[in-house]
Amino acid sequence: MNPAQSSISPAVCNLRKREFLKYAESSPNDGDRLSKFNAAYREDDRKFMRFLIPPGKRVLELGCGQGELLAALKPSYGVGIDFSANTIAKAKELHPGLHFVLGDVENPATLAGIEDPFDYIVIADTIGMFEDIDGTLRLVHHLCTPSTRIIISYYSHLWEPILKVAELLRLRRRRPKINYIATVDFLNLMDIADFEVISQEQRQLIPLRWFGIGSFVNRFIAPLPVIRQLCLRTYLVGRPVLKFPDRKYSVSIVIPCRNEKGNIESAILRMPRFAAKQEILFVEGNSSDGTFEECERVRDAYKDNWDIKVLKQDGKGKGDAVRKGFASATGDVLMILDADLTMPPEALPKYHSLIETGKAEFVNGTRLIYPMENEAMRSLNLIANRCFAYLFSYLVNTRLTDTLCGTKVLLRKDYEVLAREREYFGNFDPFGDFDLIFGAAKQNLKIVETAIHYRARTFGETQISRFRDGWLLLRMVWFAYRKLKAI
């Protein structure tokens, strides 16, 4: 990176930008009073930004001001850009461990001088000041990797009259006119600039503490459906649109199995070859029907054709089995295949293709698109699945029609991050499905569903208890609300 050495604000020919520069470099006498009045708003904003951006990441902020937000994110490497010399000088004084560049982020020369890619690119509030939003977004593509996330936060256009009144009452600094743009327009502008939005969230219904009332409402009430449309703050999380038609990944297929002896050999016989390299890991869960011995027999019988590993589960539950299998896997892509084979192994290439080409970073199967074979899913289970799908779609900001479909696929490097950051959620999920879904949502991975033809069992009986597991799911909805919404 070659930071600008000049201590003079860059010349700007645009009248509105000159007004913003003057605004940025002024120091109002009532700054301390306004700072105290807006403390709750800023605290909530930074808290949610820290939820979106874990510490220790490489972060670039466009329009960084004095660097307070950038410093609050605790980056391993942080760069801030601003066009006010006074502001940049103050930022360097306050945060000597960060890097600050003087320049106009809409000037290609400013961003061209920054060479290193970043994990996160942040545009907090300043996007409303841009003259060419999609053009500026295009400029940051050379600073992105496939896993880079761009986070844009801005005021809802519904709050424009309220903010104007706050300025008249001197509860907020009067500033030059900004672009109050509706979210649907931002989505379009990001699409034009070759970024796709992964999720959006609204925060802050009452940007004041009000003796704790504001904090309670903002945490538990503001994120609720419909109500959240009235919130002050909107956050968009996007990723660069990149496709990799020639990328080749190896794959590890983890098959948790308990009392599934009759399905073990069928899983191998029906397994298609679709990756550069494939390994299959049976994780046996202390069966009573000889499943472990069958896994070992099949491994030995097909050792010339397949790379098969057999592991014995230490704990209980599918979630524990999946974690053990993933920890032993060596492939670039990790897959789960339920041993009951109700999700056909023949459908796995479709999952793999979505990851390999870059269309998705986390793939979830759905059994609720195509007609099912008779008795493949009981009616009560089907109704419950649809209800929970609606709830979890809201919780993770992504449409999911079948969260309980056992087959899930993601990159091993993303799973390793998920595993390192698992303490945020804890060991809460005996199923294994929601540990992965919530972790993917927390990482802002691109989640995609793919439809499968759900088959009836050909061996054994279902190991799902509708009422016991249904109660666990209800508890998990509340858990996810507290962890993903009531931040």
Side-chain angles (χ1 to χ4, degrees):
M1 185 185 76
N2 299 312
Q5 300 299 316
S6 173
S7 60
I8 302 174
S9 299
V12 291
C13 57
N14 181 280
L15 176 61
R16 194 166 73 107
K17 279 196 175 182
R18 287 202 298 269
E19 292 176 349
F20 277 120
L21 182 58
K22 181 179 178 180
Y23 169 84
E25 297 194 335
S26 64
S27 300
N29 295 327
D30 60 351
D32 291 341
R33 179 178 65 84
L34 293 181
S35 178
K36 292 178 181 178
F37 184 79
N38 294 321
Y41 157 76
R42 291 198 313 275
E43 180 183 340
D44 189 278
D45 177 61
R46 290 174 190 170
K47 185 181 295 184
F48 190 68
M49 290 295 282
R50 287 194 295 269
F51 168 78
L52 294 175
I53 304 176
K57 303 297 183 180
R58 297 172 60 87
V59 182
L60 169 67
E61 184 179 6
L62 306 183
C64 63
Q66 295 183 4
E68 296 97 333
L69 173 60
L70 187 61
L73 297 176
K74 297 185 168 100
S76 61
Y77 177 65
V79 178
I81 304 175
D82 202 283
F83 70 169
S84 166
N86 292 349
T87 299
I88 286 293
K90 188 66 174 177
K92 290 180 177 179
E93 176 187 337
L94 293 173
H95 313 292
L98 303 175
H99 305 272
F100 295 99
V101 176
L102 178 62
D104 182 356
V105 298
E106 294 196 85
N107 185 341
T110 300
L111 293 177
I114 300 174
E115 301 171 354
D116 301 318
F118 293 87
D119 300 316
Y120 290 87
I121 297 174
V122 177
I123 308 176
D125 294 327
T126 53
I127 200 161
M129 307 175 190
F130 290 174
E131 294 296 314
D132 182 8
I133 294 175
D134 55 300
T136 303
L137 291 175
R138 287 194 196 95
L139 295 178
V140 303
H141 268 280
H142 77 284
L143 301 172
C144 297
T145 68
S147 60
T148 296
R149 294 297 177 260
I150 185 166
I151 297 180
I152 301 174
S153 61
Y154 54 93
Y155 299 114
S156 167
H157 68 288
L158 298 176
W159 276 68
E160 182 177 6
I162 299 173
L163 296 176
K164 290 296 184 184
V165 171
E167 289 179 359
L168 291 174
L169 296 176
R170 296 189 177 183
L171 299 175
R172 182 173 182 264
R173 284 186 64 192
R174 186 184 297 273
R175 64 172 60 193
K177 184 175 178 59
I178 67 171
N179 307 313
Y180 284 96
I181 301 176
T183 296
V184 65
D185 296 315
F186 271 125
L187 299 180
N188 183 56
L189 289 166
M190 290 184 73
D191 183 50
I192 292 172
D194 290 327
F195 283 95
E196 64 175 331
V197 174
I198 297 171
S199 68
Q200 66 181 75
E201 192 64 84
Q202 291 81 28
R203 303 284 300 181
Q204 298 211 44
L205 198 61
I206 303 176
L208 300 169
R209 287 198 177 94
W210 272 6
F211 306 101
I213 296 174
S215 300
F216 176 84
V217 169
N218 289 334
R219 182 178 181 187
F220 293 104
I221 307 301
L224 292 173
V226 181
I227 294 175
R228 61 180 176 167
Q229 304 301 323
L230 304 175
C231 286
L232 169 62
R233 302 286 287 160
T234 299
Y235 300 82
L236 297 180
V237 181
R239 70 166 187 159
V241 177
L242 301 171
K243 298 293 168 53
F244 306 92
D246 300 320
R247 188 164 64 178
K248 300 299 179 186
Y249 276 149
S250 59
V251 64
S252 296
I253 304 160
V254 173
I255 307 178
C257 47
R258 182 175 182 273
N259 295 328
E260 298 284 2
K261 179 179 179 180
N263 289 322
I264 301 303
E265 188 166 20
S266 294
I268 299 301
L269 293 174
R270 294 173 57 185
M271 184 68 65
R273 294 189 182 273
F274 54 88
K277 181 183 177 182
Q278 289 178 233
E279 69 172 354
I280 300 169
L281 299 95
F282 288 106
V283 185
E284 193 276 328
N286 301 302
S287 304
S288 58
D289 67 346
T291 296
F292 182 75
E293 292 73 19
E294 176 67 1
C295 289
E296 291 187 313
R297 184 193 72 79
V298 168
R299 176 196 61 196
D300 296 338
Y302 294 91
K303 63 182 179 181
D304 294 334
N305 298 317
W306 289 99
D307 178 9
I308 302 174
K309 298 177 182 177
V310 178
L311 308 173
K312 183 173 278 290
Q313 188 176 341
D314 302 312
K316 295 182 178 180
K318 179 183 171 183
D320 179 77
V322 168
R323 287 191 285 274
K324 185 176 182 68
F326 280 2
S328 301
T330 61
D332 301 314
V333 177
L334 304 179
M335 293 184 164
I336 306 169
L337 176 67
D338 284 345
D340 60 15
L341 304 185
T342 53
M343 202 300 294
E346 293 84 357
L348 291 177
K350 187 188 328 185
Y351 288 81
H352 185 68
S353 177
L354 288 170
I355 296 286
E356 202 169 50
T357 58
K359 294 178 180 177
E361 294 163 319
F362 183 94
V363 186
N364 184 70
T366 174
R367 302 161 292 178
L368 306 180
I369 303 298
Y370 300 125
M372 301 180 188
E373 286 187 348
N374 292 336
E375 300 182 359
M377 184 181 296
R378 291 173 288 184
S379 297
L380 188 57
N381 290 28
L382 180 62
I383 294 170
N385 255 357
R386 292 197 182 277
C387 292
F388 283 117
Y390 171 79
L391 291 171
F392 285 113
S393 295
Y394 153 71
L395 290 168
V396 302
N397 290 321
T398 300
R399 177 172 168 75
L400 293 174
T401 61
D402 187 11
T403 53
L404 291 176
C405 179
T407 302
K408 290 170 173 59
V409 181
L410 74 165
L411 287 168
R412 182 158 58 92
K413 68 179 184 64
D414 290 329
Y415 176 76
E416 288 170 351
V417 175
L418 185 155
R420 287 197 300 270
E421 298 177 358
R422 184 174 276 132
E423 63 180 16
Y424 179 78
F425 294 104
N427 186 13
F428 69 99
D429 177 19
F431 303 104
D433 299 295
F434 299 103
D435 175 62
L436 297 177
I437 290 174
F438 296 165
K442 179 70 170 62
Q443 277 193 65
N444 296 307
L445 299 184
K446 173 65 175 179
I447 301 174
V448 170
E449 276 196 329
T450 184
I452 62 166
H453 290 276
Y454 191 47
R455 308 298 187 191
R457 270 181 171 269
T458 58
F459 174 86
E461 297 179 354
T462 181
Q463 300 178 41
I464 294 175
S465 170
R466 285 181 287 182
F467 298 105
R468 182 194 66 213
D469 294 342
W471 171 241
L472 279 173
L473 285 175
L474 285 173
R475 291 171 55 192
M476 212 164 296
V477 167
W478 172 240
F479 173 84
Y481 183 76
R482 290 188 295 111
K483 288 292 186 178
L484 295 173
K485 294 296 184 183
I487 309 303

